[in-house]
């Protein structure tokens, strides 16, 4: 075992929350060491960048905050202190200006994460932040020192303050494996069960539909569950359905499946056409056309949409070819799809659950562990995709950093 490393502030986790906390602390004159189990920093951040790196959202702050549901009272002070506008300025100061897309989402102009991460790590290095990679956190020793496993064996770290920013449990191969739950639970920290969020769902597709349409998107559709309706795009997978539209409803669908065993999602394949107008379009002779060709021309449906319509009709014991135009129009605008289960958390975009906020004080310190703070996806909140996930991770990381500065001053 190597000598014990001494540092003023130790941050466990080199994702957005941990690195933002490190920047706040370093600017406050604190000697900071960031530890991460992976060979490089920001692995999951780089994965998010594959879709263009949706940093935040431009909608007004009241609507923005509402996306966090029950966690709003706890996250609001952190986001008020580090707003979406502040995040955009921060990126611009790193030489990565942003723009607002047509959906209101905010992206770096280069539509990549790697240039921003490189510039950020260069800034942190200039501020004196030390990065220790291939350090897997294993808990604390009997002297309350942080314990890490490294390629060279066990290593102990004595810190005046610690920020835990280990992420949730989605994409475990990128470092967020939820292994920290057991360590914190052993210290009596209350936690909500980690669950998939912004996740896929399974559907019992027929072999014919699955083999023909796997990997194809349903574009410009509306998805409904109960009183909630969202517009978006979804992707047919071999085992079910995923994509931005489904992610927006995933929390409600997940909870319903956990109680009832399944959930029926309704998909409107032509949301921009009034039902009566669609019925008129369908009230034309089919003649010798195949059903698929007739639906393509009369209803303007893509092949994957036609396949889904026929799949759902058969599953519900109906024949789309025998439905009268008004009934067929109604069916096209409310195709029932039974979701049989939730895809594994390892495949989810993010995770729900984590340390409950009652375990933290207003500075993000864990009450039972004086001098130990927590930030990011380790906390019990969830949000849809659209920039809300990264914004809360950055904001809580900054808040925990400010909390440590206050702790060290006192």
């Amino acid at each position: 075992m190597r000598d014990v490393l001494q540092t003023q502030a130790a941050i466990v986790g080199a994702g957005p929350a941990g690195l933002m906390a490190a920047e706040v602390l370093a600017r406050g004159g604190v000697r900071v060491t960031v530890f991460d189990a992976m060979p490089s920093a920001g692995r999951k951040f780089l994965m998010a960048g594959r879709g263009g790196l949706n940093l935040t959202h431009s909608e007004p702050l009241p609507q923005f905050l509402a996306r966090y549901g029950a966690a709003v009272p706890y996250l609001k002070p952190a986001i008020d202190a580090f707003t979406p506008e502040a995040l955009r300025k921060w990126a611009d100061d790193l030489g990565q200006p942003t723009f607002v897309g047509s959906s209101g989402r905010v992206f770096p102009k280069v539509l990549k994460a790697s240039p921003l991460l490189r510039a950020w790590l260069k800034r942190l290095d200039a501020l004196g932040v030390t990065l220790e990679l291939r350090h897997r956190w294993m808990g604390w020793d009997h002297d309350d020192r942080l314990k890490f496993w490294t390629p060279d064996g066990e290593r102990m770290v004595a810190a005046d303050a610690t920020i835990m920013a280990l992420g949730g449990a989605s994409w475990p191969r990128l470092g967020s494996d939820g292994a920290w739950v057991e360590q914190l639970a052993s210290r009596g920290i209350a936690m909500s069960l980690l669950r998939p969020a912004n996740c896929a769902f399974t559907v019992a597709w027929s072999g014919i539909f699955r083999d023909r349409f796997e990997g194809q998107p349903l574009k410009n559709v509306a998805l409904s569950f109960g009183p909630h309706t969202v517009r978006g795009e979804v992707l047919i997978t071999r085992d079910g359905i995923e994509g931005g539209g489904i992610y927006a409803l995933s929390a409600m669908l997940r909870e319903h499946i956990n109680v009832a065993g399944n959930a029926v999602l309704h998909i409107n394949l032509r949301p921009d056409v009034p039902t009566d107008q669609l019925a008129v379009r369908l009230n034309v002779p089919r003649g010798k056309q195949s059903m698929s060709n007739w639906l393509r021309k009369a209803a303007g449906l893509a092949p994957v949409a036609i396949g889904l319509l026929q799949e759902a009709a058969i599953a519900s014991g109906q024949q789309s070819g025998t439905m009268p135009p008004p009934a067929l129009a109604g069916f096209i605008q409310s195709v029932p799809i039974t979701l049989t289960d939730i895809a594994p958390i390892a495949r989810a975009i993010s995770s729900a659950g984590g340390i409950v906020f009652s375990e933290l004080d207003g500075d993000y310190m864990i009450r039972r562990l004086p001098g130990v703070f927590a930030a990011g996806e380790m906390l019990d909140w969830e949000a849809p995709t659209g920039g809300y996930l990264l914004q809360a991770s950055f904001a809580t990381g900054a808040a925990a950093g400010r909390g440590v500065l206050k702790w060290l001053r006192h």
Side-chain angles (χ1 to χ4, degrees):
M1 184 176 72
R2 287 184 278 175
D3 294 337
V4 175
L5 173 66
Q6 303 281 340
T7 187
Q8 272 187 289
I11 297 175
V12 188
L19 294 180
M20 183 57 73
E23 181 170 343
V24 169
L25 287 168
R27 290 187 182 280
V30 174
R31 188 172 73 258
V32 186
T33 307
V34 181
F35 300 89
D36 198 274
M38 305 303 289
S40 59
R43 287 289 183 96
K44 195 172 178 183
F45 184 67
L46 290 173
M47 174 65 79
R50 291 179 62 181
L53 191 62
N54 183 192
L55 278 172
T56 186
H57 203 286
S58 64
E59 67 184 347
L61 198 56
Q63 290 93 308
F64 186 100
L65 287 167
R67 306 292 185 179
Y68 298 100
V72 169
Y74 308 104
L75 294 176
K76 185 178 185 300
I79 295 175
D80 281 344
F82 192 72
T83 62
E85 290 77 14
L87 178 53
R88 294 187 68 185
K89 183 180 185 305
W90 171 84
D92 190 66
D93 290 344
L94 282 171
Q96 297 299 315
T98 59
F99 73 97
V100 179
S102 58
S103 64
R105 299 182 180 202
V106 175
F107 302 88
K109 288 185 177 179
V110 296
L111 291 173
K112 294 180 181 179
S114 51
L116 190 150
L117 182 60
R118 283 196 300 269
W120 195 8
L121 292 174
K122 184 177 179 180
R123 171 190 285 178
L124 292 174
D125 182 64
L127 288 169
V129 174
T130 301
L131 192 60
E132 294 282 0
L133 301 170
R134 294 185 172 88
H135 278 61
R136 178 171 293 280
W137 182 62
M138 306 299 290
W140 293 271
D141 70 2
H142 59 278
D143 292 320
D144 280 337
R145 297 176 300 192
L146 295 166
K147 184 165 57 176
F148 293 93
W149 181 256
T150 79
D152 297 322
E154 204 171 61
R155 190 180 194 188
M156 302 302 176
V157 175
D160 297 327
T162 300
I163 296 177
M164 313 301 296
L166 284 153
S170 63
W171 292 97
R173 65 184 178 84
L174 301 179
S176 299
D177 57 10
W180 50 267
V181 170
E182 185 177 348
Q183 292 293 340
L184 294 185
S186 69
R187 293 294 183 108
I189 311 301
M191 282 170 285
S192 177
L193 178 70
L194 293 177
R195 311 177 300 284
N198 294 297
C199 54
F201 294 86
T202 60
V203 180
W205 301 129
S206 68
I208 294 174
F209 178 81
R210 180 182 61 240
D211 292 343
R212 182 174 179 188
F213 296 110
E214 176 189 359
Q216 294 197 27
L218 282 165
K219 298 183 177 181
N220 193 29
V221 297
L223 296 89
S224 299
F225 181 69
H228 305 282
T229 299
V230 299
R231 294 287 292 266
E233 181 175 313
V234 295
L235 183 72
I236 303 299
T237 68
R238 188 161 191 82
D239 301 320
I241 191 169
E242 62 181 43
I246 202 80
Y247 299 155
L249 297 172
S250 63
M252 292 167 280
L253 292 167
R254 179 194 67 221
E255 298 307 312
H256 188 84
I257 289 173
N258 283 335
V259 172
N262 60 41
V264 179
L265 175 74
H266 288 87
I267 301 180
N268 186 340
L269 299 173
R270 292 304 313 272
D272 295 320
V273 182
T275 308
D276 57 348
Q277 290 185 22
L278 185 58
V280 170
R281 295 184 187 184
L282 294 168
N283 193 25
V284 295
R286 178 177 152 191
K288 296 182 179 180
Q289 298 179 86
S290 68
M291 185 66 182
S292 294
N293 199 38
W294 179 70
L295 284 170
R296 178 180 62 81
K297 293 179 179 179
L301 297 179
V304 62
I306 295 168
L308 185 73
L309 181 74
Q310 295 174 334
E311 178 88 351
I314 293 170
S316 59
Q318 303 182 71
Q319 290 287 334
S320 57
T322 62
M323 292 182 186
L328 181 56
F331 198 74
I332 288 171
Q333 296 193 319
S334 186
V335 179
I337 304 297
T338 300
L339 310 181
T340 58
D341 205 352
I342 309 157
I345 194 169
R347 290 174 48 194
I349 300 296
S350 59
S351 58
I355 302 169
V356 299
F357 280 99
S358 60
E359 292 285 355
L360 307 177
D361 68 10
D363 294 318
Y364 284 79
M365 186 172 74
I366 301 174
R367 299 178 193 275
R368 297 172 188 266
L369 301 174
V372 179
F373 298 70
E377 209 176 335
M378 290 182 71
L379 307 180
D380 185 17
W381 61 274
E382 65 177 304
T385 57
Y388 310 102
L389 296 167
L390 279 176
Q391 178 70 50
S393 293
F394 282 119
T396 56
R402 293 190 299 272
V404 168
L405 287 176
K406 184 188 295 186
W407 168 261
L408 293 176
R409 282 197 300 267
H410 291 86

